[in-house]
């Protein structure tokens, strides 16, 4: 399962409303690359396939789900900036910025 915190959910709703996106899903995934091997993908998609996994309006393709099962998506605001953060229990290490990981 992939979960999204209440803070992240509010920020996603704000972005959808601000950009007038209509009915869209939050799509999360992984792709090869980044300084640790894999990097997270994050965006909006109005197309959900039969194979996509869905959790509370968050969708993920089956290959990415292998790496993201159990992950929580959060939103943080601090003096260093603001943005979405992935807490992934499957990652054995991640880079300093938190945008890439390895298993």
């Amino acid at each position: 399962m992939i979960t999204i915190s209440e803070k992240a959910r509010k920020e996603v709703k704000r972005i959808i409303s601000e950009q007038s996106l209509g009915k869209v899903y939050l799509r999360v995934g992984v792709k090869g690359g980044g300084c640790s091997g894999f990097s997270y993908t994050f965006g909006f998609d109005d197309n959900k396939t039969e194979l996509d996994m869905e959790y509370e309006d968050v969708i993920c393709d089956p290959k990415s789900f292998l790496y993201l099962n159990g992950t929580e998506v959060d939103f943080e605001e601090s003096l260093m900036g603001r943005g979405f953060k992935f807490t992934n229990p499957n990652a054995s290490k991640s880079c300093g910025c938190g945008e890439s990981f390895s298993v």
Side-chain angles (χ1 to χ4, degrees):
M1 176 160 42
I2 298 170
T3 59
I4 183 166
S5 73
E6 191 57 36
K7 279 184 177 179
R9 186 177 310 286
K10 285 180 183 177
E11 183 64 12
V12 165
K13 286 180 180 179
R14 185 192 69 75
I15 293 168
I16 290 170
S17 174
E18 187 177 276
Q19 296 184 9
S20 301
L21 297 176
K23 174 60 179 159
V24 293
Y25 296 95
L26 174 63
R27 180 177 287 281
V28 297
V30 297
K31 65 178 182 177
C35 49
S36 292
F38 294 102
S39 59
Y40 297 106
T41 61
F42 185 92
F44 296 103
D45 195 338
D46 56 0
N47 293 320
K48 178 182 165 249
T49 71
E50 293 178 5
L51 299 175
D52 282 333
M53 314 297 264
E54 181 179 359
Y55 303 97
E56 303 174 345
D57 290 331
V58 176
I59 58 175
C60 180
D61 67 89
K63 285 184 182 179
S64 293
F65 184 75
L66 294 173
Y67 299 102
L68 295 178
N69 188 18
T71 296
E72 180 187 45
V73 180
D74 195 10
F75 183 77
E76 294 185 341
E77 293 182 90
S78 70
L79 293 174
M80 300 297 287
R82 54 189 302 225
F84 291 95
K85 175 185 173 191
F86 287 74
T87 303
N88 185 346
N90 305 301
S92 60
K93 70 176 188 172
S94 60
C95 66
C97 66
E99 293 183 14
S100 66
F101 67 100
S102 63
V103 288

